[in-house]
Amino acid sequence: MSTFLDRRVFLEQGLRLSLATAAAGALPLAQAQSEERSADKMGEMRSDALASQHKAGQAFSNYGMPSVYEKRVIRLIGSNRMVSGNGVSWTPLESLEGIVTPTGLHFERHHNGVPDVDPARFELLMHGMVARPLRFDLAGLLRYPLQSRLIFIECGGNSNAGWHEEPMQKPVGSFHGLVSCSEWTGVPLNYLLDEAGIDSKATWAIAEGLDAAATEVSIPVSKLREDALLALYQNGERLRAENGYPLRLVLPGWEGVRQVKWLHRLEFTDQPVMSRNETGEYTQLLPSGKAEQFDFVMGPKSLITSPSHGQTLGLPGVYEIRGLAWSGHGSVAKVEVSADGGQSWSTAHIDGPVMSKCFARFRAAWKWNGKPAVLQSRAKDDHGNIQPTRARLLAERGRNGYFHYNAIVSWAVDSDGTVRHVYA
Amino acid sequence: MSTLKIARIVQLPPLLLASLLFSFSSLTTPLAHADSTASTPSPMGKPLDTGSITRLAPNIYPNGQGLPDGMGLAKNGSVLYQAHCANCHGSKGEGATAQGLIGGDGPLSAHDADKTILTYWPYATTLIDTIARSMPPAAPGHLSADELYSLCAYLLAENGLWARDQPMGPKELAAIVMPNRNGFIRKFP
């Protein structure tokens, strides 16, 4: 019977393993452990590892890049054959740690490519049902008090392969990786709303981007007042082009399609525009044949990122279950893990600090006995929302919801140590 | 600024120095950060000439607000469709590398529900709004108002929602009631 261990126990038992892994460098799970078993090989490796002490290293660089040995940690791209700028790229969640997604690995969803926006000519326009139609240049925006927040952004269509009849046999990031977490710094939109004088009858704002799809969506003014951020910086530097340079809307906890990149226009109005991205797309068809519309908040969700599909365990022993949890409603209150397909659960440790509408990194020590196991995690948020089982999600929302899939994900560990995606 | 004042600023802790930027007070009496955010920041918006707004691509609403003046015919739309759309959406609108635009099997409660313009889209104005701002992908935003109405007339006629020989303009397009108009449950407001 495989068991979860107290974290402190794991730390003692796992000490030897983690030291050996560190010495061997970042090797795949199984490889690191087979290296551990071969003392002679370790000796050779140490000697190679010391070679760098006997020659001069590389010079300085103006902008640092990932190690040349990490070239395989990339976004996988899925785009339209005829319109190469329409599609997605996935964050490789299985290769990452902590809660901040490296900026260059933040997922992308573009409708017609990444526009080239000249910051010198950029203006944000506010018009419609306002007392004072206004335009703002970047220098003006940078004069407002700024706010920084760690916020996850998840595409409304993330994980929709969960609706497939058969479980997708791909690494976790390649079908759950339309979610990323960054520190966003920008101007609380509230300041600008007051300045323009929004008509009390204006309940909606239509946000439009400068991309070649002129992507437009409707956003309740109440959300803009509550916590919307006009983001100028991501993880300390100005936005990357593919994340909305020079300005994007950040709406904490809401589906990504609302968080308009290359934001240049907000029209205030008393009705939604009913754009394609809030009618034909990004609406959730229910078994009744009716569809839910304007369901903005991303529900509680968690994923085990290690071990996960495509990875291989070595010898039976103690492993750390590692994963991510988040909720668009607020903070992650609890993450539980199971090694028996959800029959029994243990509470996972969450690295602090736990922040609202932000990734939480969870960990649990698991002693694998070498027999088949099914690993699962489930998240609960501070509003009492619990991540559903796949069976429950399908029972409530049918087969054609397509958006906002947040069911529990299962990884089967076989006795040979291979890990694959299953429905359990 | 006098040398004396510069010296005084440099000696301030970074947080206080930053808050100076948002203070209406003199430099010698900086506000604490919490106070500065509670006060109104200097307004940076410049008046927007509402005349310039009309040059932007309009947002087109279900009630017809934002619809451009113009008139189109399905037979012209058919020619435009073959020139600009068929390559991705299929020569008969059946779908290819992009989704189908013509037809669709109901009902939406079926196990393999077919979500199309005909079966799913609640408003015809969404069609012209989408085409006007984003189609065709290689050169979006260049179709004239007459061309847009012609394309809408063609697609809606092929979907059985418009009489093929009837001219379509803003009034006609806004008056079309799509089959799934009442198929949505609004979670907001």
Side-chain angles (χ1 to χ4, degrees):
Chain A
M1 176 79 193
S2 52
T3 49
F4 287 102
L5 305 170
D6 182 85
R7 184 166 168 77
R8 203 168 298 164
V9 175
F10 167 75
L11 286 174
E12 289 161 13
Q13 295 195 1
L15 190 60
R16 195 175 309 157
L17 169 63
S18 59
L19 282 175
T21 309
L27 294 172
L29 221 48
Q31 199 183 339
Q33 282 167 48
S34 72
E35 303 293 4
E36 177 201 14
R37 295 193 295 272
S38 166
D40 290 350
K41 190 115 186 251
M42 279 299 291
E44 282 170 34
M45 290 190 65
R46 275 219 182 85
S47 142
D48 287 349
L50 294 176
S52 62
Q53 291 186 325
H54 301 288
K55 62 176 182 184
Q58 293 288 321
F60 301 92
S61 57
N62 289 111
Y63 199 100
M65 298 296 287
S67 161
V68 295
Y69 301 105
E70 298 297 323
K71 276 181 181 161
R72 286 177 301 175
V73 182
I74 55 173
R75 295 187 285 222
L76 285 184
I77 298 165
S79 67
N80 187 284
R81 188 158 54 81
M82 298 290 283
V83 184
S84 60
N86 182 13
V88 298
S89 71
W90 308 84
T91 294
L93 298 172
E94 65 279 0
S95 301
L96 304 177
E97 251 300 336
I99 60 170
V100 175
T101 307
T103 309
L105 295 176
H106 192 289
F107 85 88
E108 300 169 278
R109 166 76 178 108
H110 309 314
H111 296 88
N112 195 2
V114 178
D116 176 6
V117 181
D118 179 355
R121 297 176 60 189
F122 175 84
E123 282 188 326
L124 171 68
L125 312 181
M126 292 173 70
H127 66 106
M129 295 170 66
V130 299
R132 293 167 290 278
L134 294 175
R135 57 197 172 89
F136 299 84
D137 59 21
L138 286 171
L141 289 173
L142 283 161
R143 284 281 307 276
Y144 290 89
L146 299 177
Q147 186 186 54
S148 296
R149 282 189 69 180
L150 276 151
I151 297 291
F152 79 82
I153 295 180
E154 181 175 21
C155 175
N158 192 27
S159 310
N160 62 35
W163 262 294
H164 293 185
E165 295 285 353
E166 297 299 324
M168 174 81 94
Q169 298 301 308
K170 281 188 178 176
V172 57
S174 299
F175 66 112
H176 293 293
L178 299 184
V179 62
S180 306
C181 186
S182 291
E183 185 193 50
W184 302 98
T185 300
V187 181
L189 190 51
N190 237 340
Y191 293 125
L192 276 58
L193 299 181
D194 290 341
E195 199 172 316
I198 311 300
D199 188 317
S200 61
K201 293 190 190 70
T203 46
W204 293 88
I206 316 305
E208 184 185 74
L210 277 172
D211 57 322
T215 305
E216 114 266 44
V217 291
S218 309
I219 300 158
V221 170
S222 54
K223 177 64 174 177
L224 300 184
R225 283 233 175 264
E226 186 192 338
D227 58 359
L229 211 54
L230 293 169
L232 295 151
Y233 296 84
Q234 179 183 7
N235 296 329
E237 62 184 356
R238 294 293 284 273
L239 301 180
R240 296 283 171 94
E242 70 266 35
N243 274 301
Y245 184 88
L247 189 72
R248 86 169 291 169
L249 195 54
V250 170
L251 303 174
W254 283 27
E255 57 185 4
V257 69
R258 307 273 149 192
Q259 310 192 38
V260 175
K261 293 176 289 194
W262 317 289
L263 176 72
H264 88 117
R265 187 158 73 98
L266 290 166
E267 179 180 27
F268 292 85
T269 168
D270 57 2
Q271 58 184 323
V273 72
M274 298 293 181
S275 66
R276 177 179 173 231
N277 284 327
E278 56 202 28
T279 56
E281 307 293 332
Y282 300 95
T283 47
Q284 303 165 54
L285 186 55
L286 299 170
S288 65
K290 298 278 186 184
E292 290 187 337
Q293 186 182 31
F294 301 130
D295 185 18
F296 302 119
V297 180
M298 299 309 292
K301 194 160 168 179
S302 69
L303 299 161
I304 294 172
T305 54
S306 176
S308 64
H309 176 91
Q311 298 176 349
T312 308
L313 303 189
L315 290 176
V318 178
Y319 288 85
E320 185 175 72
I321 307 271
R322 300 164 180 160
L324 290 168
W326 64 94
S327 170
H329 296 279
S331 302
V332 173
K334 190 178 190 179
V335 180
E336 293 170 295
V337 288
S338 172
D340 54 16
Q343 291 173 55
S344 64
W345 295 91
S346 302
T347 302
H349 165 82
I350 299 178
D351 285 353
V354 178
M355 288 169 277
S356 181
K357 301 167 188 178
C358 174
F359 273 177
R361 174 61 64 175
F362 66 86
R363 307 178 187 285
W366 172 51
K367 189 170 185 182
W368 181 46
N369 60 8
K371 291 180 180 157
V374 174
L375 301 176
Q376 295 182 335
S377 65
R378 74 176 173 201
K380 186 178 174 182
D381 68 29
D382 60 354
H383 285 57
N385 302 295
I386 300 174
Q387 184 179 13
T389 62
R390 184 169 180 273
R392 197 185 126 203
L393 185 143
L394 293 188
E396 288 177 2
R397 294 170 54 196
R399 311 278 327 181
N400 297 306
Y402 197 82
F403 298 96
H404 289 240
Y405 182 96
N406 68 328
I408 289 170
V409 177
S410 306
W411 308 122
V413 179
D414 291 333
S415 48
D416 65 358
T418 57
V419 184
R420 63 197 161 84
H421 183 208
V422 293
Y423 291 150
Chain B
M1 187 181 285
S2 72
T3 313
L4 180 65
K5 276 188 178 172
I6 290 170
R8 195 173 292 173
I9 292 168
V10 169
Q11 285 165 10
L12 289 172
L15 190 66
L16 290 177
L17 186 58
S19 72
L20 276 174
L21 294 170
F22 312 116
S23 169
F24 291 111
S25 313
S26 75
L27 288 172
T28 51
T29 57
L31 297 171
H33 186 71
D35 295 335
S36 72
T37 51
S39 69
T40 311
S42 302
M44 288 294 143
K46 299 165 189 164
L48 172 63
D49 170 16
T50 45
S52 72
I53 297 171
T54 60
R55 292 197 296 274
L56 303 169
N59 297 325
I60 298 172
Y61 293 83
N63 64 6
Q65 184 187 320
L67 278 170
D69 291 332
M71 192 64 77
L73 282 166
K75 65 170 184 181
N76 297 338
S78 172
V79 176
L80 290 163
Y81 180 87
Q82 292 305 326
H84 297 298
C85 322
N87 213 18
C88 294
H89 292 284
S91 61
K92 294 183 169 62
E94 73 278 17
T97 55
Q99 60 193 213
L101 302 175
I102 296 168
D105 299 322
L108 289 169
S109 55
H111 184 75
D112 54 350
D114 201 5
K115 293 195 291 182
T116 66
I117 293 171
L118 175 62
T119 66
Y120 195 63
W121 285 32
Y123 300 102
T125 49
T126 306
L127 190 55
I128 193 168
D129 180 74
T130 304
I131 300 170
R133 65 178 54 249
S134 66
M135 293 293 150
H142 291 302
L143 294 167
S144 70
D146 288 355
E147 289 174 324
L148 292 170
Y149 285 113
S150 293
L151 276 168
C152 288
Y154 169 71
L155 291 172
L156 292 167
E158 290 296 307
N159 276 306
L161 299 168
W162 185 247
R164 197 169 303 274
D165 51 0
Q166 203 180 334
M168 178 179 278
K171 226 174 79 186
E172 291 78 14
L173 182 59
I176 288 174
V177 178
M178 299 294 277
N180 197 38
R181 164 72 67 95
N182 298 315
F184 290 81
I185 302 162
R186 276 172 69 157
K187 306 291 280 184
F188 182 92

